[in-house]
Amino acid sequence: MSWLRTATQYLIPTLCMVCEQAQAEIVCFPCRDRIAQNRLQFGPSCQICALPIGPHQSLCAACEQVKPAFDHVTYLDLYQEPLRQTLHLLKYQKRLACASGFALLWNIFHQHTLKACDADVLIPVPLNPTKLAARGFNQAWEIAKRFDLPKSIRRIPNLVICHPTHTAQASLNRAERTASMRDRFELKVGAASMIHDQHIVVIDDVMTTGSTIHSLATTLKKSGAKRVSAWTMLRTPPWES
């Protein structure tokens, strides 16, 4: 019935999540081209945290000095337009269709990453119970469950518990974020056996200082994880973190 689905797309158009123009898919082709142009501007990046580096470097100065608990970061675009506002629509205006759009873009621009992924388990960065209750969904999981992953990778949405903090991360500087994230994550009872000696992929919507992923990766590795990779939709450049 693929012909019916195709016909329905054009007879009952949707709005592009980026430009909000009526068309057949959740992200129109001009907006895909704009994102592709953004991606062409990416220069050399740190092999661990993915921040910009010089042409003859492999790691940034921060990772050279102290390597984080996570092993590698992959991202879709920098924290900039056209996707920054779209992410806000997903998180703060509950436009869940945008999760499908972000997954579509990831499936398009990271086909090789998905096909070559040797991970064992995929998890979202968990929200603390208060934030999850207020928002009604975990945006990272809504995106992650729509990835075109190899069937060998298990998707587990509730492997880790996130303890609440009293201050929003967005209001903190780098040092304060790092301090606030210490001991914030805890594996659920019995979960350690599911990650022992496993490669874990952690999904997040935005990565800024990396303190959240570092804290989560620390918890996972203390519990026996072999490797932790991070996939984030948007990566905040160092001049904005």
Side-chain angles (χ1 to χ4, degrees):
M1 298 294 287
S2 60
W3 64 269
L4 178 59
R5 183 169 60 252
T6 301
T8 302
Q9 285 181 325
Y10 286 93
L11 291 172
I12 310 176
T14 186
L15 295 180
C16 171
M17 72 172 190
V18 180
C19 67
E20 299 192 333
Q21 297 298 308
Q23 44 82 57
E25 297 191 60
I26 189 64
V27 185
C28 69
F29 286 99
C31 286
R32 294 184 201 185
D33 289 342
R34 184 178 173 189
I35 295 161
Q37 289 299 314
N38 279 356
R39 291 174 55 80
L40 288 175
Q41 306 305 311
F42 297 170
S45 61
C46 175
Q47 292 180 0
I48 297 177
C49 74
L51 285 181
I53 56 175
H56 302 297
Q57 294 177 282
S58 59
L59 300 179
C60 68
C63 289
E64 283 274 14
Q65 186 174 9
V66 180
K67 289 187 178 179
F70 54 85
D71 298 281
H72 184 68
V73 173
T74 304
Y75 64 94
L76 179 63
D77 198 355
L78 293 176
Y79 187 64
Q80 61 185 358
E81 300 306 338
L83 291 179
R84 177 166 52 186
Q85 178 60 26
T86 304
L87 186 62
H88 290 175
L89 294 176
L90 169 60
K91 293 174 66 172
Y92 306 122
Q93 295 191 24
K94 304 181 188 296
R95 295 196 187 179
L96 284 171
C98 294
S100 297
F102 276 106
L104 172 67
L105 292 171
W106 192 274
N107 292 337
I108 290 171
F109 290 112
H110 284 300
Q111 291 183 48
H112 176 73
T113 299
L114 290 163
K115 290 179 180 178
C117 184
D118 63 351
D120 303 290
V121 176
L122 177 144
I123 66 171
V125 171
L127 298 180
N128 72 66
T130 302
K131 183 176 287 187
L132 182 60
R135 184 168 294 164
F137 62 93
N138 180 337
Q139 67 278 0
W141 173 244
E142 292 300 321
I143 295 169
K145 65 187 183 182
R146 295 170 168 86
F147 286 153
D148 290 338
L149 289 172
K151 292 182 179 179
S152 58
I153 301 176
R154 293 174 293 156
R155 307 181 212 220
I156 308 177
N158 55 358
L159 191 75
V160 180
I161 299 167
C162 178
H163 298 295
T165 60
H166 300 292
T167 307
Q169 291 292 297
S171 66
L172 305 178
N173 61 32
R174 180 182 292 270
E176 290 169 336
R177 290 185 193 206
T178 300
S180 74
M181 293 307 298
R182 291 194 186 104
D183 303 319
R184 190 173 179 193
F185 298 105
E186 177 185 357
L187 259 67
K188 288 195 171 182
V189 175
S193 62
M194 303 173 70
I195 67 166
H196 181 73
D197 203 32
Q198 303 285 283
H199 177 190
I200 314 298
V201 172
V202 174
I203 309 300
D204 205 0
D205 55 344
V206 179
M207 184 172 179
T208 304
T209 65
S211 58
T212 299
I213 301 294
H214 171 73
S215 179
L216 179 52
T218 298
T219 297
L220 293 169
K221 286 192 170 180
K222 282 182 178 179
S223 300
K226 176 176 63 177
R227 177 177 170 83
V228 178
S229 300
W231 294 356
T232 183
M233 297 304 102
L234 303 182
R235 182 69 167 101
T236 303
W239 51 90
E240 292 186 13
S241 61

